[in-house]
Amino acid sequence: MRTANDTANNPTIAIIGATGAVGAEMLDCLESAAPADAEVRLFASERSVGSHLSFRGTSIELEPLSSAAFDGIDVALFASSSDISREFGPIAQAKGAFVVDNSSAFRMDANTPLIVPEINGGLLSTAPSLVANPNCTAAIMGMALWPLNQLSPITRVVASTYQAASGAGAAAMTELEDSTRAYLDGQPYQPQVFKHPYAFNIFSHNDTVDLETGANGEESKVMDELKKIMATPDLRISITCVRVPVLRAHAISMSIETEAPISVDEARRVLSAAPGVRLVDDRANNHFPMPVEASGQNDVLVGRLRHDLADPTGRTMMAFVSGDQLRKGAALNAVQIAAVLCGWG
Amino acid sequence: MRTANDTANNPTIAIIGATGAVGAEMLDCLESAAPADAEVRLFASERSVGSHLSFRGTSIELEPLSSAAFDGIDVALFASSSDISREFGPIAQAKGAFVVDNSSAFRMDANTPLIVPEINGGLLSTAPSLVANPNCTAAIMGMALWPLNQLSPITRVVASTYQAASGAGAAAMTELEDSTRAYLDGQPYQPQVFKHPYAFNIFSHNDTVDLETGANGEESKVMDELKKIMATPDLRISITCVRVPVLRAHAISMSIETEAPISVDEARRVLSAAPGVRLVDDRANNHFPMPVEASGQNDVLVGRLRHDLADPTGRTMMAFVSGDQLRKGAALNAVQIAAVLCGWG
């Protein structure tokens, strides 16, 4: 098994699912994060094999996925389906690679660390060979919740999301743009990715709804994963996940109850100091976190900090957060995990 | 002072602000709601005076507003600014008209009833000469909350909104369409109505933010007005108001705590039976309230009913609602109030 010492220099990094929205963003993140002497190999489904993507000015040919493909790979970033991760993740591990998996396949597996480096990156010190990358909404929410949790343990979260198209992949982003243009032109449009119209519309998250509880799959993931990432199994969290016509940054409205009251100034102070977080909380100018300003950014934007005046105990803080779904919500976090595992500068 | 008996037949109905988004929608609502022999008069600002709008196949000329304009008016529907309502509302009253005011001028005035007919329409039995029409979000939320409140008193609401452009008027709807087209065409666009980009973006509601509490004006209105409409002064309600790129139907995600547990089946039953409400709650087909289906409809859509599993007492119900901001959120509700006051239909 390789260790950080082996992979800090001249690593071979594979992206599995390199043509998807997350895979392409991983390649972009590696431009700045990977060591100068890194080699990158890109794997994609049959229909993309043979085409090329650019990395640091070099054209890289897309390869077909196979067991043999993992020979000599030091770090394998999986950005494909859960099925692909389940099939090839263990093979990559067995061949000595660090695996960082963006699918949900292993996230709730008790033996697999689920990591947001700023929150529980310490778990990477044992150099686990398989690490799960969280659900995008869980990662973005966690970035705002964790610094507050250090001030006083969070006991309750009630959240509603404003989720972008990118969470459903590049085809969903295209569908949002195409269907919106059709609407503006007065033309009909038949949705391909979503079952509901997306142009100037919002709808309940497209993940399957549990017929018994009424929660959808996305909501269950966020609730379960946040508790695991923050190691707060007793956190009472409830969430409603909604798609909005935004391209690539999620937003979340949160009511956050803590054990002890937190002042707005204290909250601003810890969030301002938190790595990976940018405070955007300007009441006078009505300037708060927005997808248009979070898109393409590594930092998660947090603001609209205010006490819930309906809680007479003063223990409930309201907050609004926006983060790039493809960066901190997916690719950036995965590359950050790889960087810690491999000891990249 | 006129009474319902005087105004049931051959009423003269005025719309003040007839060219705005709400005023135009009032005219549309009157097509079906006003008695067959009703006369309609339309008032607008100087730049629209002399142009015409159509009502039941007749062309009606827009008139300038003045004190004398209210001579002979039986019902005055105000859909203009608070300043206009404060100036001309009392004049219309003094001249014997029923005034229904869509502005916020008189909503929290202790002597002015604030009415959603399905909730507190009984207050109209005294034939008040001035009635306030609620904030759009308050009216739409109230339609979902009130039937549940009949099952068991609601003690706590935590809500986040997804608000359409129409709430900021016709110019905001145009800005959403124009800026979106510009974005898709790769062209620059300078916002005129809002200070933030609207194309594929969401932002905190544009109403002024209280520098002390952090709540914006829209949030304060919704919280204050809902308590007045439902006559629940002790209701603990907190809300985050957000604009989303949707044209004319609002949506609200709610966590609703009641004194006693309510089953999902009971909630569905009372909401199905509630006038003005349509239950849209199909878990198997992931079909829940959406702006695209609420737009142009009189009914408020309610669904995604489920227990909050993080509340072990079983007293918290989650719900999602969508209603046309211009109809039940404004014009329809105002015309319904006029219909009750005047004994139409």
Side-chain angles (χ1 to χ4, degrees):
Chain A
M1 196 77 66
R2 280 178 180 74
T3 68
N5 285 341
D6 302 322
T7 51
N9 298 310
N10 195 25
T12 301
I13 307 165
I15 299 177
I16 295 88
T19 55
V22 173
E25 200 72 22
M26 285 173 167
L27 189 62
D28 190 63
C29 290
L30 287 173
E31 292 259 351
S32 53
D37 56 5
E39 182 189 349
V40 170
R41 292 177 60 190
L42 304 176
F43 298 92
S45 56
E46 288 302 333
R47 69 176 183 285
S48 300
V49 167
S51 57
H52 291 73
L53 288 174
S54 170
F55 177 70
R56 291 177 176 169
T58 305
S59 179
I60 303 181
E61 185 170 333
L62 290 158
E63 303 176 57
L65 195 56
S66 69
S67 298
F70 291 98
D71 291 340
I73 300 293
D74 297 300
V75 184
L77 304 174
F78 279 77
S80 183
S81 68
S82 291
D83 287 347
I84 292 286
S85 293
R86 280 197 200 90
E87 182 177 353
F88 290 99
I91 292 169
Q93 275 184 285
K95 295 199 175 194
F98 283 124
V99 173
V100 183
D101 179 26
N102 191 54
S103 85
S104 62
F106 303 105
R107 287 179 190 156
M108 295 308 296
D109 175 60
N111 298 314
T112 304
L114 177 67
I115 301 291
V116 174
E118 293 87 346
I119 300 175
N120 62 347
L123 297 177
L124 299 176
S125 62
T126 62
S129 60
L130 170 64
V131 175
N133 203 43
N135 169 280
C136 44
T137 303
I140 292 166
M141 283 177 70
M143 291 295 290
L145 292 173
W146 185 247
L148 300 177
N149 195 64
Q150 307 314 294
L151 282 176
S152 173
I154 295 172
T155 52
R156 179 105 175 85
V157 175
V158 181
S160 295
T161 72
Y162 305 71
Q163 293 185 235
S166 57
M173 300 171 76
T174 302
E175 178 156 308
L176 174 56
E177 291 195 332
D178 290 352
S179 62
T180 302
R181 188 183 291 279
Y183 180 97
L184 291 171
D185 291 343
Q187 297 298 318
Y189 182 88
Q190 187 58 46
Q192 308 287 322
V193 177
F194 296 118
K195 66 191 296 182
H196 301 301
Y198 206 173
F200 302 113
N201 190 34
I202 69 169
F203 50 86
S204 192
H205 192 283
N206 46 293
D207 208 340
T208 308
V209 180
D210 184 304
L211 297 181
E212 208 57 44
T213 66
N216 66 46
E218 179 82 354
E219 291 162 352
S220 299
K221 284 177 199 165
V222 176
M223 295 186 283
D224 293 343
E225 293 180 25
L226 266 174
K227 288 192 263 196
K228 177 169 176 175
I229 295 164
M230 301 205 298
T232 52
D234 297 329
L235 176 65
R236 293 171 53 213
I237 175 167
S238 44
I239 188 164
T240 299
C241 288
V242 177
R243 275 276 178 228
V244 297
V246 163
L247 286 163
R248 57 172 284 169
H250 286 357
I252 304 107
S253 169
M254 296 191 280
S255 162
I256 306 158
E257 184 191 85
T258 48
E259 274 186 18
I262 296 175
S263 76
V264 171
D265 283 345
E266 282 177 299
R268 285 179 175 154
R269 182 175 52 73
V270 294
L271 287 164
S272 295
V277 170
R278 182 149 60 89
L279 187 72
V280 181
D281 199 23
D282 182 349
R283 292 177 179 177
N285 290 301
N286 204 335
H287 186 190
F288 302 109
M290 294 188 288
V292 76
E293 292 187 343
S295 293
Q297 302 299 310
N298 289 347
D299 283 348
V300 169
L301 314 183
V302 185
R304 278 227 78 194
L305 297 166
R306 63 201 194 278
H307 278 120
D308 178 355
L309 300 176
D311 177 0
T313 70
R315 296 186 299 117
T316 305
M317 180 78 72
M318 314 285 276
F320 200 79
V321 53
S322 186
D324 189 306
Q325 188 274 330
L326 292 175
R327 293 192 81 86
K328 192 59 187 175
L332 174 69
N333 196 71
V335 169
Q336 287 173 327
I337 291 169
V340 175
L341 282 172
C342 301
W344 299 340
Chain B
M1 198 74 70
R2 280 179 179 74
T3 68
N5 285 341
D6 301 323
T7 51
N9 298 309
N10 195 26
T12 301
I13 307 165
I15 299 177
I16 295 88
T19 56
V22 173
E25 199 74 21
M26 285 173 167
L27 189 62
D28 190 64
C29 290
L30 287 172
E31 292 260 351
S32 53
D37 56 4
E39 182 189 347
V40 170
R41 290 178 61 191
L42 303 176
F43 297 92
S45 56
E46 289 301 333
R47 70 176 183 284
S48 300
V49 166
S51 58
H52 292 73
L53 289 174
S54 169
F55 177 69
R56 293 177 175 170
T58 304
S59 179
I60 303 180
E61 185 170 333
L62 290 159
E63 304 175 58
L65 195 57
S66 70
S67 299
F70 291 97
D71 290 342
I73 299 292
D74 298 300
V75 184
L77 304 174
F78 278 78
S80 184
S81 67
S82 291
D83 286 347
I84 292 285
S85 293
R86 280 197 199 90
E87 182 176 355
F88 290 100
I91 293 169
Q93 276 184 286
K95 296 201 174 193
F98 283 124
V99 172
V100 183
D101 179 26
N102 190 54
S103 85
S104 62
F106 303 105
R107 286 180 191 156
M108 296 309 296
D109 175 56
N111 298 314
T112 305
L114 177 67
I115 301 291
V116 174
E118 294 87 345
I119 299 175
N120 61 347
L123 297 177
L124 299 177
S125 62
T126 62
S129 61
L130 170 64
V131 176
N133 204 42
N135 168 280
C136 45
T137 302
I140 292 166
M141 282 177 70
M143 291 296 288
L145 292 173
W146 184 246
L148 300 178
N149 195 64
Q150 308 313 292
L151 283 176
S152 174
I154 296 172
T155 52
R156 179 104 175 86
V157 175
V158 180
S160 295
T161 72
Y162 304 71
Q163 293 185 235
S166 58
M173 299 170 76
T174 302
E175 177 156 308
L176 173 56
E177 292 195 332
D178 289 353
S179 61
T180 302
R181 189 184 291 279
Y183 180 97
L184 290 171
D185 291 343
Q187 298 297 318
Y189 183 88
Q190 187 58 45
Q192 308 288 322
V193 178
F194 296 117
K195 66 190 298 182
H196 301 301
Y198 206 173
F200 303 112
N201 190 33
I202 68 170
F203 49 87
S204 192
H205 192 283
N206 46 293
D207 208 341
T208 308
V209 180
D210 184 301
L211 297 182
E212 208 57 44
T213 66
N216 64 47
E218 178 81 354
E219 291 163 351
S220 299
K221 284 178 198 164
V222 176
M223 294 187 282
D224 292 344
E225 293 181 23
L226 266 174
K227 288 191 264 195
K228 178 169 176 175
I229 296 164
M230 301 205 297
T232 53
D234 298 328
L235 176 64
R236 292 171 54 211
I237 176 168
S238 44
I239 189 164
T240 300
C241 288
V242 177
R243 276 272 179 230
V244 297
V246 163
L247 286 162
R248 58 173 282 170
H250 285 357
I252 304 105
S253 169
M254 295 191 281
S255 162
I256 305 158
E257 184 191 85
T258 48
E259 274 185 20
I262 296 174
S263 76
V264 171
D265 284 345
E266 283 177 298
R268 285 179 175 154
R269 183 176 52 74
V270 295
L271 287 164
S272 295
V277 170
R278 182 150 59 89
L279 186 72
V280 181
D281 200 23
D282 182 349
R283 292 177 179 177
N285 291 301
N286 203 335
H287 187 191
F288 302 108
M290 293 187 290
V292 76
E293 291 186 343
S295 293
Q297 302 298 310
N298 288 347
D299 284 347
V300 169
L301 314 184
V302 185
R304 279 226 77 194
L305 298 166
R306 63 202 194 278
H307 278 119
D308 177 355
L309 300 177
D311 177 1
T313 70
R315 297 186 300 116
T316 306
M317 180 78 71
M318 314 286 276
F320 200 81
V321 53
S322 186
D324 189 304
Q325 189 274 332
L326 292 174
R327 293 192 81 85
K328 191 59 186 175
L332 173 69
N333 196 70
V335 169
Q336 288 173 327
I337 291 168
V340 175
L341 283 172
C342 300
W344 300 340

